[in-house]
């Protein structure tokens, strides 16, 4: 009725008004719906991006507390007088904590399979799972390093929140990387979370699985493994330095 009155007020005849209204109502909007598989793929992308927070927080908390107990108690003093090299002790601890990390990762994978079904058994789903596994190893190495460095449990809890929440906001786990400023993304490059989230986004957008298409994803995975070597190497060096200091006490 408002439209009719508008046309009449502007000098349209009834015939012209009727034609204008018919032309107006013929205008439509084309709506395209994502199919179920594509919809699950996008949801899985968001699910695994959010894993940056959950995997980091859970893994670092569990491993950090276990490492704190090991390195800051009488257990550590007993190991000092044992004939086992400190590097071997660290490797054994790393492998033991790796079992706990694998459980966390498997739990996350099972939840994704329950939620997104057959899509997780596709090539893209497999790459998302593999990417999350490699990032779980990164979280393991960070927890290992913090457990050696930090002597206070309250400080550990605070650092866990800073690392997990901070990296999630900076690297695109909570806010899509496309919406972050260039400055923020440049800073995020120094964090393993950036490469994890970047890989998730790239996996979803894959048009084929040829070598040239997979190359950026493989490079990002190699960078994450570089962080693992760095963090575990630092943990080994710091533990040796602590051993030397305590040997002079």
């Amino acid at each position: 009725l408002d439209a009719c009155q508008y046309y009449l007020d502007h000098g349209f005849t009834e015939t012209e008004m009727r034609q204008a209204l018919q032309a107006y109502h013929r205008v439509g909007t084309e709506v395209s719906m994502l199919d179920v598989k594509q919809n699950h793929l996008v949801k899985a992308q968001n699910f695994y991006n959010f894993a940056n927070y959950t995997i980091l927080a859970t893994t670092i908390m569990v491993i950090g507390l276990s490492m704190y107990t090991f390195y800051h108690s009488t257990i550590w003093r007993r190991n000092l007088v044992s004939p086992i090299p400190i590097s071997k002790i660290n490797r054994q601890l790393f492998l033991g904590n790796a079992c706990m990390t694998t459980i966390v990762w498997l739990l996350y994978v099972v939840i994704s399979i329950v939620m997104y079904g057959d899509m997780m058994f596709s090539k893209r789903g497999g790459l998302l799972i593999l990417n999350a596994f490699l990032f779980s190893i990164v979280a393991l190495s960070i927890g290992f390093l913090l457990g050696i460095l930090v002597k206070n449990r309250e400080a550990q809890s605070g650092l866990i929140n800073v690392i997990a929440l901070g990296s999630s906001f900076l690297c695109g786990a909570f806010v899509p990387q496309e919406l972050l400023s260039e400055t923020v993304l440049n800073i995020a490059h120094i964090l393993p979370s950036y490469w994890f989230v970047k890989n998730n986004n790239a996996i979803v957008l894959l048009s084929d699985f040829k070598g040239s298409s997979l190359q950026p994803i493989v490079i990002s995975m190699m960078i994450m493994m570089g962080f693992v070597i760095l963090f575990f190497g630092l943990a080994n060096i710091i533990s040796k330095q602590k051993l030397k200091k305590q040997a002079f006490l």
Side-chain angles (χ1 to χ4, degrees):
L1 293 177
D2 290 338
C4 292
Q5 188 63 45
Y6 174 84
Y7 288 124
L8 291 175
D9 291 342
H10 286 77
F12 281 67
T13 65
E14 291 187 7
T15 302
E16 291 172 337
M17 177 189 69
R18 191 162 43 249
Q19 291 174 348
L21 288 174
Q22 290 174 348
Y24 174 80
H25 287 295
R26 280 198 297 268
V27 176
T29 301
E30 184 178 350
V31 178
S32 59
M33 301 293 291
L34 292 174
D35 58 37
V36 174
K37 186 175 180 180
Q38 188 70 18
N39 190 36
H40 281 178
L41 183 61
V42 174
K43 289 182 178 180
Q45 174 191 6
N46 296 329
F47 180 80
Y48 275 93
N49 281 348
F50 191 80
N52 178 80
Y53 174 75
T54 51
I55 290 178
L56 268 181
T58 305
T59 304
I60 295 176
M61 180 182 66
V62 173
I63 293 173
L65 289 177
S66 66
M67 293 295 294
Y68 173 87
T69 303
F70 188 87
Y71 273 92
H72 306 290
S73 66
T74 55
I75 299 175
W76 175 246
R77 297 187 185 95
R78 291 173 184 172
N79 286 326
L80 289 178
V81 297
S82 70
I84 304 175
I86 190 65
S87 58
K88 186 174 182 179
I89 293 174
N90 284 339
R91 282 197 300 271
Q92 291 174 350
L93 278 172
F94 189 84
L95 292 174
N97 288 325
C99 294
M100 180 59 67
T101 303
T102 303
I103 293 174
V104 174
W105 168 73
L106 281 174
L107 179 62
Y108 215 83
V109 171
V110 169
I111 293 173
S112 68
I113 292 174
V114 171
M115 294 178 64
Y116 308 119
D118 294 339
M119 199 286 300
M120 295 310 302
F121 295 100
S122 66
K123 291 181 180 179
R124 290 184 179 85
L127 285 173
L128 287 173
I129 291 172
L130 174 61
N131 196 45
F133 176 73
L134 296 179
F135 185 70
S136 297
I137 300 176
V138 175
L140 164 62
S141 63
I142 295 173
F144 196 85
L145 178 59
L146 285 182
I148 294 175
L149 278 175
V150 184
K151 298 181 179 180
N152 185 285
R153 289 191 177 183
E154 289 74 20
Q156 272 192 358
S157 299
L159 280 173
I160 290 170
N161 286 326
V162 170
I163 293 171
L165 282 174
S167 65
S168 295
F169 280 110
L170 284 174
C171 300
F174 293 162
V175 180
Q177 289 184 342
E178 295 79 9
L179 301 180
L180 297 175
S181 67
E182 186 177 351
T183 302
V184 172
L185 290 177
N186 287 335
I187 296 173
H189 275 70
I190 65 174
L191 302 174
S193 298
Y194 169 82
W195 303 100
F196 169 65
V197 175
K198 180 183 178 182
N199 253 8
N200 287 337
N201 299 337
I203 289 168
V204 171
L205 295 176
L206 276 176
S207 57
D208 58 67
F209 295 89
K210 297 178 181 178
S212 57
S213 300
L214 293 174
Q215 184 178 4
I217 294 173
V218 173
I219 291 174
S220 295
M221 289 180 175
M222 292 174 65
I223 291 174
M224 285 195 288
M225 290 301 96
F227 280 106
V228 172
I229 296 171
L230 173 64
F231 293 143
F232 186 64
L234 287 174
N236 205 35
I237 292 171
I238 293 170
S239 61
K240 287 182 178 180
Q241 292 299 320
K242 286 188 174 184
L243 177 62
K244 290 179 180 180
K245 288 182 180 179
Q246 293 183 8
F248 287 106
L249 295 178

